[in-house]
Amino acid sequence: MIRGSIVAIATPMKRNGVIDWESLRTLVKFHLENNTDAIVAAGTTGETTTLNLEEHFKVIRTIVNEVNNKIPVIAGIGANSTSEAVNLTKSAKKAGAHSGLSVTPYYNKPTQCGMLDHFKEIASVGLPIIIYNVPKRTGVDIYNETILKLSEIKNIIGIKESSGDLERAVELIEKLKYKDFALYSGDDSTACEFLLSGGHGVISVSSNIVPKKMHELCIASIEGNIELAYKINKKLMPLHYALSIESNPIPVKWALNKMGLVKKGIRLPLTWLANKYHSTLLKTLQLLEVLK
């Protein structure tokens, strides 16, 4: 089981939207040097919805090769078509991913039974699967009762819970606490409480900017060091909020650019961070002393 801080890594691009492969490798090295515990490649923060299939798997392969077995690489494999998700999973397995992160089918709003069968089909490929529940983006919510059923299926190894409902997450943790099923927060602002309640890690946007601090937060929380966990969390909370000032990954790519790690590039329909938010995010970065 992967534990700790898992970065949902951004995909660097040039001004014309072409992927910047050199900067992607630089980002991976940055995370290896700063104690990130695992990397999600081609996830939501990686702008997977605007990558074509060739780019999608080149991103995964590039990260797998650069990591060179030092930490696990989790591949984004979600789709609202079950057959497409199965094919993505097969390709991710071939690319050498440790596991796959599969979002609930978006837009078409399947029933709980539909989602149960959807994830069964994906798991049949043989790659370990982490379910990703993010109702605000997908328009569909997978219930705890369905997750409990899915936890019984071979190759379904965990869930990224991004509903933001901490009470519900804690209920799930309690019901699964004696099972070998990974429970990851997908919400940086509530991750500390999630981990202190028995969660195993966080799939994090903030880890793009402060990987070492997010790793330290996770370790302190998992080990039950409440005082240290709250101290770190209090310092990071302004960043968690600042990185949601516009749609993800707009703020995080702007911040990475200011840190000198990526060029100024993002794909439509996403746009570069609006000028009115620059000072807010800049002040947050300065407070955290992450700027060169």
Side-chain angles (χ1 to χ4, degrees):
M1 183 187 293
I2 304 168
R3 297 175 187 269
S5 176
I6 304 166
V7 64
I9 199 167
T11 302
M13 297 172 184
K14 301 175 183 178
R15 285 181 180 269
N16 59 2
V18 173
I19 295 174
D20 184 348
W21 301 105
E22 181 180 354
S23 292
L24 180 60
R25 286 187 282 269
T26 296
L27 279 187
V28 173
K29 290 174 184 174
F30 173 68
H31 287 288
L32 292 175
E33 291 167 359
N34 286 279
N35 297 340
T36 290
D37 296 292
I39 295 175
V40 171
T44 304
T45 307
E47 292 175 82
T48 184
T49 52
T50 60
L51 302 181
N52 63 41
L53 286 177
E54 182 180 352
E55 290 171 328
H56 187 113
F57 292 108
K58 189 173 179 181
V59 166
I60 296 168
R61 285 194 302 271
T62 299
I63 293 174
V64 167
N65 291 340
E66 193 64 39
V67 163
N68 195 24
N69 294 316
K70 294 181 179 72
I71 58 176
V73 177
I74 303 165
I77 54 166
N80 65 339
S81 161
T82 303
S83 60
E84 181 181 348
V86 166
N87 288 332
L88 289 171
T89 306
K90 289 177 180 176
S91 297
K93 185 179 179 182
K94 186 176 179 181
H98 167 278
S99 49
L101 181 65
S102 189
V103 71
T104 50
Y106 44 86
Y107 188 75
N108 42 14
K109 293 188 175 181
T111 63
Q112 297 299 304
C113 288
M115 284 189 283
L116 189 64
D117 289 343
H118 172 81
F119 286 114
K120 281 182 181 178
E121 286 290 322
I122 297 168
S124 69
V125 172
L127 184 72
I129 302 301
I130 299 165
I131 301 161
Y132 178 16
N133 187 40
V134 56
K136 289 180 182 178
R137 277 190 178 258
T138 61
V140 65
D141 190 4
I142 187 165
Y143 301 158
N144 280 0
E145 292 79 9
T146 306
I147 296 166
L148 291 170
K149 292 176 183 177
L150 287 167
S151 71
E152 303 287 342
I153 296 169
K154 184 180 178 182
N155 293 323
I156 296 181
I157 63 167
I159 184 164
K160 175 186 178 183
E161 174 52 56
S162 301
S163 68
D165 185 342
L166 190 58
E167 183 178 341
R168 174 177 144 175
V170 170
E171 177 190 287
L172 187 61
I173 289 169
E174 284 298 313
K175 290 181 176 179
L176 288 166
K177 67 191 302 182
Y178 299 113
K179 296 191 64 172
D180 189 22
F181 189 81
L183 296 153
Y184 302 119
S185 169
D187 178 44
D188 282 312
S189 63
T190 58
C192 180
E193 294 291 347
F194 184 97
L195 293 168
L196 287 169
S197 299
H200 302 109
V202 55
I203 298 179
S204 168
V205 175
S206 293
S207 290
N208 280 278
I209 310 303
V210 286
K212 190 171 288 186
K213 283 295 179 188
M214 285 301 298
H215 169 79
E216 291 170 355
L217 171 66
C218 289
I219 296 304
S221 301
I222 291 169
E223 293 180 350
N225 190 336
I226 298 173
E227 184 178 352
L228 179 58
Y230 281 155
K231 181 180 178 180
I232 298 170
N233 192 56
K234 183 178 179 180
K235 187 173 183 179
L236 294 180
M237 197 61 75
L239 178 66
H240 301 332
Y241 289 129
L243 292 180
S244 61
I245 205 165
E246 282 196 324
S247 296
N248 181 45
I250 293 172
V252 76
K253 294 194 88 170
W254 188 89
L256 287 169
N257 176 255
K258 287 298 174 185
M259 293 168 67
L261 290 170
V262 305
K263 296 180 175 66
K264 183 179 179 179
I266 199 163
R267 285 187 179 176
L268 288 171
L270 298 180
T271 53
W272 204 240
L273 186 70
N275 291 337
K276 63 182 178 180
Y277 298 125
H278 288 191
S279 61
T280 299
L281 191 46
L282 186 61
K283 286 176 184 175
T284 304
L285 299 176
Q286 290 168 339
L287 283 171
L288 290 169
E289 300 178 337
V290 297
L291 298 180
K292 294 180 180 179

